Amino acid sequence: MPTKAKKHKAALAAVDRAKNYLLKEGVELLKNTSYAKFDETVDLAVRLGVDPRHADQMVRGAVVLPNGLGKTVRVLVFAKGEKEKEARDAGADYVGAEDLVAKIQEGWFDFDTAIATPDMMGIVGKIGKLLGPRGLMPNPKVGTVTFDVGRAVSESKSGKVEFRVEKAGIIHAPVGKVSFDAVKLQENILALLDALMKAKPSAAKGTYVKKISLSTTMGPGLRIDAADVASQL
């Protein structure tokens, strides 16, 4: 049987790194060259024509992918009273207030998304330096600081993806699993790119989407034709 190294080499050989693939053929190639024994995550990377050092060119938002992420999302909610019950009824994995803050201060981070009601942000702010670097700090701009906790929990569980431009002007986000049907992967990718377009800052000049690439957890990356994507949005 081929070794992992040989499989990786074969996958690299199958991808033309200089080519801009149409979205449909790029997704199909990713699926065909996947060789890992586990269900790899498909990741999207987009280079934007913005300078994140300027506040008016920051790109940040969230989108609920139409076909989910293909994984179980562990949701934590900071809430009390009726909102605590609402969060539990919606399927939140962890709900609490000061008790959860104390656990996190002790180094506990066994969750993927944190949601908070606005009245809880006073205590959540105490652990901002712990949550922020991990991308877990609740934020009203992406809908994770809200009194509508039931909806927020449901969206997170069903495949809500948050995105934020990095210092180099790149957005990275998961868009599903390699086991997904190719059409469903394309739908997820287009949904995320559509959200990115809607989040375009008014201060951004010139070409907004400069480069799009797709990759799997173990496989090589490939470039996607931005014009082909734009024609489908």
Side-chain angles (χ1 to χ4, degrees):
M1 292 180 66
T3 63
K4 185 181 292 186
K6 286 184 178 179
K7 289 179 180 178
H8 183 68
K9 188 174 182 180
L12 283 173
V15 173
D16 184 346
R17 304 301 288 272
K19 179 179 178 178
N20 284 325
Y21 289 90
L22 298 179
L23 179 59
K24 183 176 185 292
E25 67 174 335
V27 168
E28 290 175 348
L29 182 58
L30 271 188
K31 287 175 63 66
N32 291 335
T33 55
S34 174
Y35 61 87
K37 292 182 178 179
F38 62 92
D39 193 6
E40 297 178 81
T41 295
V42 177
D43 291 300
L44 176 73
V46 184
R47 182 178 293 279
L48 300 174
V50 298
D51 186 348
R53 291 175 299 178
H54 300 289
D56 61 356
Q57 293 189 48
M58 175 57 66
V59 179
R60 183 172 189 174
V63 60
V64 178
L65 299 180
N67 302 300
L69 281 169
K71 72 170 189 175
T72 300
V73 179
R74 299 166 298 175
V75 179
L76 177 149
V77 179
F78 295 100
K80 288 183 176 180
E82 290 183 5
K83 292 300 173 181
E84 179 178 353
K85 181 179 184 302
E86 182 181 330
R88 292 189 190 281
D89 289 346
D93 299 275
Y94 310 102
V95 186
E98 289 86 356
D99 55 329
L100 291 180
V101 169
K103 284 187 69 174
I104 291 168
Q105 287 174 326
E106 293 170 1
W108 176 77
F109 295 97
D110 292 341
F111 55 96
D112 304 298
T113 298
I115 297 165
T117 53
D119 57 312
M120 288 288 100
M121 289 307 292
I123 66 166
V124 176
K126 297 177 181 178
I127 51 173
K129 291 183 178 180
L130 297 174
L131 297 177
R134 293 174 169 82
L136 294 170
M137 186 66 180
N139 189 297
K141 291 182 179 179
V142 294
T144 49
V145 176
T146 176
F147 279 118
D148 193 357
V149 293
R151 177 179 176 181
V153 170
S154 296
E155 287 183 345
S156 295
K157 285 286 189 180
S158 62
K160 183 177 181 178
V161 172
E162 296 180 19
F163 55 84
R164 182 175 183 172
V165 67
E166 299 170 0
K167 290 181 181 179
I170 299 173
I171 291 278
H172 284 102
V175 289
K177 295 289 186 179
V178 78
S179 62
F180 279 23
D181 176 83
V183 173
K184 289 186 176 181
L185 272 176
Q186 291 174 63
E187 289 173 350
N188 277 2
I189 291 164
L190 290 171
L192 180 53
L193 288 168
D194 184 56
L196 268 182
M197 294 303 295
K198 291 175 179 175
K200 179 182 178 180
S202 57
K205 306 299 180 184
T207 303
Y208 179 53
V209 176
K210 290 190 169 184
K211 182 180 176 183
I212 303 171
S213 61
L214 286 173
S215 63
T216 57
T217 307
M218 302 292 288
L222 54 87
R223 296 173 65 171
I224 298 297
D225 190 309
D228 174 55
V229 168
S231 70
Q232 298 180 62
L233 294 177

